[in-house]
């Protein structure tokens, strides 16, 4: 006897890696980055509405595993994400993720999806959103230090959202830079591989650091950073894992996502608790000033916050409508008579 199929309403859409790639190509990578930037910005404008908590992190010698939940009162989301810098040497990703969206009214999930690609897209879109408010006007040159998994996404978001034309690249592993040059070859960006971080930052309007190392690293020192640049520091995102010399922070105006999380995980973990910071959402909502002068050094101390994932998950759910870029997943037990869970099990025997 074959077991009866659960009722249709209990199936939830699941977006596999393969389907996420189909969806991204269907929308267009740059279009998706622009649309995600706008989606995240719209949610930053209604920041007050969200349940906010620092992510729940489980640290080990090798890396971190984190859960990132939030809700706007109507929809709930969480992401599972890891960060293991040494994975790359074993042929594994440093960062992998998946996430879930649920209706607050019933608690039923409405989407389960891969989020390794989606995290790269949303992190790039968040960088572009911050740069839209903080980078020098008419920024054309981006320096990317750390040319790993996030790099191309970061470059393309800055191109699509800000009009970046030149990308100067540096990685301690020249093969990573070669890979990035190859991947971005047909995008129309002028690509300049460099042999040192010092050479890479020459002429940059925006410097993005996206390296992975589980230590207090010094990717940029104070003397490398000239007046007027915007620094987008995304690789320092864990206790004991930073990228910038603290003297840079003493000269910069620093913008963060959620202070209780960034104080522990961001570049500002190196500073005293009274080090002044501005919450990025306040700039986006017009309640605080972003860039205020041409010579100001602005720093987006990015660690990644749950609301960015929420925006990305809701965006994907909308984009799935009318497509077949998902599978129906049977993960919610939903008997016809809600009290007869055991009967459903019996009938399947
Ligand atoms: P990855 O391991 O694929 O790439 C990291 C690259 O950095 C490698 O190519 C490595 O050779 C290079 N690198 C390491 N030390 C360097 C140094 N001193 N100088 C120059 N290059 C150096 O990692 P990824 O997936 O690209 O992630 C990059 C970083 O961004 C990680 O630290 C990750 O945790 C972080 N991250 C942050 C967010 C966020 O929201 N802020 C989101 C995703 C990833």
């Amino acid at each position: 006897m074959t077991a009866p199929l659960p009722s249709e309403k209990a199936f939830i859409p699941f977006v596999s890696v393969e389907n996420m790639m189909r969806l991204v190509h269907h929308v267009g990578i740059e279009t998706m980055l622009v649309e995600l930037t706008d989606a995240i910005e719209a949610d930053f404008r209604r920041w007050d509405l969200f349940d906010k908590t620092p992510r729940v992190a489980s640290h080990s010698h090798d890396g971190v595993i984190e859960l990132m939940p939030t809700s706007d009162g109507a929809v709930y989301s969480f992401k599972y994400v890891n960060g293991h810098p040494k994975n790359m040497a074993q042929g594994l990703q440093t960062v992998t993720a998946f996430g879930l969206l649920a209706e607050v009214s019933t608690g039923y999930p409405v989407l389960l999806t891969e989020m390794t690609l989606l995290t790269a897209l949303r992190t790039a879109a968040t960088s572009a959103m911050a740069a839209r408010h903080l980078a020098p006007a008419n920024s054309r040159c981006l320096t990317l230090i750390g040319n790993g998994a996030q790099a191309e996404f970061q470059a393309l978001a800055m191109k699509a959202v800000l009009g970046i034309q030149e990308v100067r690249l540096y990685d301690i592993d020249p093969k990573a830079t070669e890979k990035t040059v190859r991947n971005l070859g047909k995008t129309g960006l002028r690509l300049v591989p460099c042999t040192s971080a010092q050479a890479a930052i020459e002429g940059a309007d925006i410097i993005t650091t996206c390296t992975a190392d589980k230590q207090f690293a010094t990717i940029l020192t104070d003397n490398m950073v000239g007046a007027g640049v915007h620094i987008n520091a995304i690789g320092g995102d864990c206790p004991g894992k930073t990228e910038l010399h603290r003297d840079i922070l003493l000269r910069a105006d620093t913008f963060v996502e959620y202070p209780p999380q960034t104080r522990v995980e961001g570049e500002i973990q190196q500073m005293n608790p009274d080090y002044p910071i501005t919450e990025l959402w306040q700039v986006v909502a017009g309640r605080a000033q972003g860039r205020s002068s041409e010579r100001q050094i602005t720093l987006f101390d990015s660690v990644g916050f749950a609301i960015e994932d929420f925006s990305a998950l809701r965006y994907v759910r909308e984009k799935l409508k009318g497509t077949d870029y998902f599978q129906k997943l049977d993960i919610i037990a939903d008997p016809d008579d809600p009290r007869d869970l055991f009967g459903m099990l019996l009938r399947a025997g």
Side-chain angles (χ1 to χ4, degrees):
M1 185 181 110
T2 36
L5 283 174
S7 63
E8 184 72 11
K9 71 178 191 300
F11 284 117
I12 72 159
F14 165 64
V15 184
S16 62
V17 175
E18 188 183 344
N19 272 325
M20 183 62 77
M21 295 195 289
R22 289 172 71 208
L23 179 66
V24 175
H25 283 295
H26 169 74
V27 176
I29 301 176
E30 291 191 39
T31 303
M32 193 163 190
L33 285 164
V34 170
E35 290 179 353
L36 272 173
T37 303
D38 292 340
I40 295 167
E41 181 149 333
D43 282 335
F44 268 54
R45 270 192 234 109
R46 56 190 197 109
W47 189 267
D48 280 337
L49 269 175
F50 284 88
D51 262 358
K52 291 175 284 293
T53 179
R55 56 187 159 201
V56 182
S58 173
H59 296 283
S60 66
H61 177 260
D62 297 324
V64 64
I65 295 176
E66 298 163 329
L67 287 178
M68 301 172 69
T70 192
S71 167
D72 69 351
V75 184
Y76 170 94
S77 73
F78 78 81
K79 177 169 87 172
Y80 167 103
V81 62
N82 78 302
H84 285 68
K86 66 162 212 172
N87 270 6
M88 200 182 34
Q90 302 169 40
L92 301 172
Q93 291 274 289
T94 299
V95 176
T96 68
F98 65 89
L100 180 141
L101 204 61
E103 296 281 7
V104 168
S105 58
T106 58
Y108 271 35
V110 292
L111 176 69
L112 179 69
T113 176
E114 86 79 41
M115 286 192 81
T116 305
L117 283 160
L118 195 56
T119 293
L121 290 159
R122 79 82 155 118
T123 304
T126 306
S127 295
M129 180 191 71
R132 188 144 76 180
H133 294 275
L134 302 176
N138 302 316
S139 291
R140 291 294 171 262
C141 180
L142 165 72
T143 293
L144 262 185
I145 302 179
N147 304 154
Q150 311 300 318
E152 295 88 344
F153 297 89
Q154 292 287 324
L156 281 180
M158 293 293 187
K159 170 180 184 275
V161 176
L162 269 86
I164 284 294
Q165 294 170 352
E166 176 174 323
V167 182
R168 302 175 68 81
L169 299 150
Y170 172 68
D171 194 291
I172 38 168
D173 182 353
K175 286 202 185 73
T177 305
E178 280 164 31
K179 173 253 351 174
T180 307
V181 168
R182 202 167 50 241
N183 284 341
L184 294 175
K186 291 192 178 139
T187 57
L189 285 165
R190 192 164 52 253
L191 303 167
V192 185
C194 301
T195 50
S196 68
Q198 182 74 52
I201 59 168
E202 261 171 49
D205 300 301
I206 302 173
I207 303 171
T208 291
T209 52
C210 48
T211 66
D213 206 346
K214 204 166 169 15
Q215 61 161 337
F216 291 108
T218 307
I219 307 302
L220 291 180
T221 50
D222 188 33
N223 62 338
M224 292 164 79
V225 178
V229 295
H230 172 60
I231 304 169
N232 178 47
I234 73 159
D237 59 357
C238 252
K241 179 166 171 265
T242 57
E243 294 180 302
L244 308 182
H245 193 284
R246 72 188 298 278
D247 287 353
I248 297 172
L249 280 84
L250 294 172
R251 285 167 64 214
D253 288 307
T254 300
F255 299 80
V256 304
E257 290 143 315
Y258 182 56
Q261 185 179 304
T262 312
R263 291 260 181 222
V264 178
E265 300 182 351
E267 296 299 325
I268 60 171
Q269 65 185 278
Q270 305 178 74
M271 312 309 280
N272 293 329
D274 60 353
Y275 174 77
I277 50 173
T278 304
E279 292 183 50
L280 184 60
W281 76 269
Q282 296 205 324
V283 177
V284 171
R287 297 200 208 169
Q289 191 162 25
R291 172 164 290 272
S292 55
S293 80
E294 275 182 23
R295 295 189 59 75
Q296 181 188 24
I297 298 168
T298 50
L299 165 64
F300 174 38
D301 184 3
S302 159
V303 293
F305 189 59
I307 293 175
E308 296 145 23
D309 301 312
F310 174 98
S311 313
L313 284 162
R314 274 214 328 179
Y315 172 85
V316 166
R317 190 176 180 220
E318 275 309 301
K319 285 288 170 186
L320 284 183
K321 288 181 182 163
T323 76
D324 64 352
Y325 302 145
F326 61 91
Q327 290 150 267
K328 291 176 175 178
L329 206 59
D330 172 25
I331 58 165
I332 293 298
D334 194 36
D336 290 338
D337 173 355
R339 280 172 303 198
D340 197 17
L341 182 65
F342 190 78
M344 183 184 82
L345 173 64
L346 272 188
R347 287 188 291 281

